[in-house]
Amino acid sequence: MSRRWPFLIPFICMTAAMSLSVLTGFYSDILMLAAVFTCLLLASFLPYPLSFSVFTVLFFFFWGLTVLHPWLTPDQSQHSLRTHVSDRPITIEGVISTRPSVSPEGSRLTVQVESVINGNRAELISGKLLLYVSEGDITLTRGDRIRFKSRVSVPRRLGLAGEFDYVRYLAFQGISAIGRVVSQDEIVLMRAAAVESIQRTIDKTARSLGDVIRSSIPDVHISSILTALLVGDQRRIPRDLADAYARAGVNHILSISGFHIGIIAAFIALLVVWLMTRFEYPALRWNVRRIAVLIAVPAMLLYLLLTGNAPATARSVIMLSVFAAALFSERERDSVNTLLFAAFLLVAVNPPTLFDVSFQLSFLSLWGILVAVPMIVKYTAVMKSPWQKSMIQFIAASVAASCVTLLPVLYIFKIASLNGILTNFVIVPLLGYGAVLAGFIALPFLTLFPSFASMLLWPAAILIAISNRFIIWCTSLPVLTFHGITGWDMLFFLLFMIVITFVKKRLLLICLSLLIPITAVVLHLYAATVSDGRLHITMLSVGQAESMLLQLPDGSTLLVDGGGYLHDTGQDFGKRFLAPALGAMHVGRIDRMIATHDHPDHSGGLPYVIKNFSVGEFWSGTKVSEDIIRELDSKSVPQRTLVAGDVITLPGPVSITVLSPVESMENAADGDESSVNEQSLVFRLSYGSFSMIFCADAGFEAEQRMLDKGYDLKSSVLKVGHHGSRFSTSERFLARVSPELALISAGAANRFGLPSVRTVDLLRSKGVPLYRTDRDGTIELVTDGKSWSVATPFNPE
């Protein structure tokens, strides 16, 4: 065990085991943990330090393997909320257990369910439900008992490479099911303050302060930023403004973190010092500095509760409290040890904190600062000017925080910005020092003198308005978009950080610092260039949509459709699902792209991919959306319109024969929904003795045209038309194709009832095996032109 860093080995062992259990689903038995702990106790009485160290490592490792089991193992008991999943609404009663979250897109309540009401009978039920409120604001708060009627659904993965694990995200909050209502009007308040708590009172105070701020400052772009800085309410920030701060690389300033806590703690300590030194008795008889620091600690704790007790804020309060205790006891402080202690304590008390993004990024940014800034300080010792030293240290901290979080931010969000190195010089003084302090000073007076709120908040509002204008201007600055960062890259990154922090032997430090990044780059280059000489056809599980990726024998790629939302949700499907999936599959270039028809569930994700990936050619059979055309034109991508009878030979050789539409139909998209489907681009692919027909959303009409034309439709695999609709895949068409396998892309429990019972029964009656994305997740078919196999590498269950 390292005596210099006593928390290092325990923290690494614990977090490594927790990560292993999440990745593999393996958990240790509590009896095994107890056995190891017993051995550890016995080893503490032995005169062998090595045995104690070994059992300490084993204890924390098995602790990590055990501790997440309650969160990641669903409760399947008779009284579990999960047993009431239904397509029909049920009446639910429960108590709001956390602070409600309000955003421009809607609100969210976490409800500790107590019972399900069936007529006059109440059935006792346990479990947490996340209730989405689509419209309007929420006046309810923690501790209120409510009753509402909603369908209950269990969150489910798509089964797609690179997708955000929403199921795990909810599980770590103890949430087992989801419900939805339109507005608060559909929620009945049974009893206010059914469960009293200090946090409820603080939540009401935070809500009251936020209401005063919003009523005093009508401009939502200013009031939302101020409420984020003062009470931690970030979700009300308009999406365009939040994106602008992210592109400028300073969105961290909007999250209550160690920086905000430190500024406020320093202000309180300085204020206490100033007040106490005004009087002779305390100034001469007391240690004013130590007393001021101790007074700042409870103020930090109160601010932590006021802002919602976020992990990043809690980590900051713990660290500053440790520093305060060390200062009070006049002991030497080790910044890295303090950071390790704070992280260890947070994860030990609440293990899911380890997987909280805000905790991860704030921990890493502070880690980078603690490593980089001391190195710079050594070279500033010769400087005589204090402001020059401060400026260089500020630059070092900004560069360190931006650089050390670059890779993790790309891994999590697929987009990052180094603009923060420059924009921090403007935003940190404006918001970090100016608006935070100005607003914090005004907070105590807002509830006492609400009529003067506008005047009290005016200085902070002016600073935020200047900041917003500067940020909008910064949106023209370039950002880095990359979808190829993998979990292995993050492992190498963490190893690199550990090496530069804890390895002190110079030669070993240099060797490892070079070896780790070189190894990561080599692995990336190998993954990007490797090709096994076979044809890979991957039906991506993209919900009630469709997208297929073909990787040809020479390693080139063909993307057929890009999935999308059926209706406008205000979100970019390509950004959320398609691009991360392509990145996780090591696809950096789309050599050929096909849009089968202009429906948003097939083409909605393509504009983002065109914008952020290199695209060689674009093919379509009908008119495509203006968004696609705009992105194609901006990157000068060659475009080609395909019609029935076209034959294209690709490397392999892989041959594509176009079967529909019969002729170019530029105005096809102007027709009704069915006509657009019937003019979908349908083609047959052949590679050696293997063949597959891609039917897009073609129905009976298009099938009949292909039958009348006498095309060769015989194929090894059929991509069933229109998600398995009852208006596609006629019996005669299926007989002509005579497939050995059928594939259907559909969303789990979709409202259209697809695939239809009629289509599934028809395939079953003909003895055709069926794979479906709603049931099997992503489907991968591999062939060498002679034989073929099918697999489901990302099962959603």
Side-chain angles (χ1 to χ4, degrees), residues 10-49:
F11 184 68
I12 290 177
C13 292
M14 182 174 64
T15 55
M18 290 169 63
S19 301
L20 182 65
S21 67
V22 165
L23 292 173
T24 64
F26 174 77
Y27 307 99
S28 176
D29 190 272
I30 189 69
L31 295 177
M32 178 64 73
L33 180 63
V36 174
F37 181 68
T38 303
C39 293
L40 176 62
L41 288 178
L42 293 174
S44 64
F45 295 102
L46 298 176
Y48 307 111

Side-chain angles (χ1 to χ4, degrees), residues 548-567:
M548 302 186 72
L549 176 70
L550 281 65
Q551 294 166 297
L552 304 183
D554 70 336
S556 61
T557 55
L558 169 63
L559 182 65
V560 181
D561 287 336
Y565 300 108
L566 281 168
H567 305 288

Side-chain angles (χ1 to χ4, degrees), residues 699-738:
F700 292 152
E701 179 184 327
E703 292 173 359
Q704 189 60 47
R705 286 201 306 264
M706 289 183 278
L707 290 170
D708 294 343
K709 288 288 185 178
Y711 292 131
D712 178 14
L713 302 178
K714 179 72 172 67
S715 300
S716 310
V717 179
L718 167 66
K719 200 296 294 181
V720 177
H722 204 186
H723 315 282
S725 164
R726 61 193 179 96
F727 299 111
S728 65
T729 317
S730 67
E731 191 165 350
R732 185 182 169 202
F733 182 78
L734 183 62
R736 281 280 293 275
V737 176
S738 186

Side-chain angles (χ1 to χ4, degrees), residues 492-507:
F492 283 120
F493 165 74
L494 292 175
L495 288 175
F496 179 80
M497 289 295 297
I498 290 171
V499 165
I500 65 173
T501 306
F502 301 106
V503 175
K504 299 304 178 184
K505 294 183 179 180
R506 186 173 181 83
L507 181 60

